[in-house]
Amino acid sequence: MNTNAEECLIHAVRVMMEKGIIRFFPFSWCFGLVDMRVESEMFADEETVLTVREDDWNGGPAECVVQELAQAMITSKVRFIPVKSE
C-alpha cells in the first residue's frame, strides 16, 4: 500500500508524463520484459533505463512506467536536478 507521499509522487509523475515533461521510448522486448529510455530535462542524468514486465506493458505502458519511475525516484535511482535559489 502506498503512503500519501508516494501517492503524491505517483500523481506528479503521471502529470509530467501527460504534459511531455517526462518522455519514454521502448527499445527492447525480451523474456517478458520491456526496456525503455526515460528522459527529462528535469533529471540529473540525461536518460534512465527502466524495465517493466511485458504483462504490464500490454495493459497500457504509461501506468507501469509511472509506477516504476516513482519507485526509482523513491530509491534515488532517478534524481531531479537540484533547484538553486538566486
Side-chain angles (χ1 to χ4, degrees):
M1 185 169 146
N2 293 332
T3 65
N4 286 340
E6 290 171 348
E7 287 297 328
C8 288
L9 177 60
I10 289 167
H11 178 71
V13 169
R14 186 178 294 116
V15 170
M16 286 187 278
M17 287 179 62
E18 288 172 1
K19 298 291 184 181
I21 297 168
I22 298 174
R23 299 164 305 281
F24 65 92
F25 308 95
F27 66 89
S28 176
W29 285 260
C30 187
F31 301 112
L33 300 173
V34 179
D35 293 331
M36 63 193 71
R37 288 188 338 270
V38 181
E39 302 173 353
S40 177
E41 294 174 5
M42 297 177 63
F43 294 160
D45 297 321
E46 284 187 29
E47 72 177 42
T48 300
V49 175
L50 289 180
T51 302
V52 297
R53 291 188 325 260
E54 190 171 27
D55 288 347
D56 291 342
W57 182 266
N58 290 334
E63 192 56 33
C64 65
V65 175
V66 167
Q67 296 290 331
E68 288 294 325
L69 189 52
Q71 192 60 37
M73 290 173 181
I74 290 168
T75 60
S76 298
K77 292 179 184 173
V78 173
R79 294 172 293 120
F80 286 102
I81 295 171
V83 176
K84 296 180 182 179
S85 58
E86 307 261 331

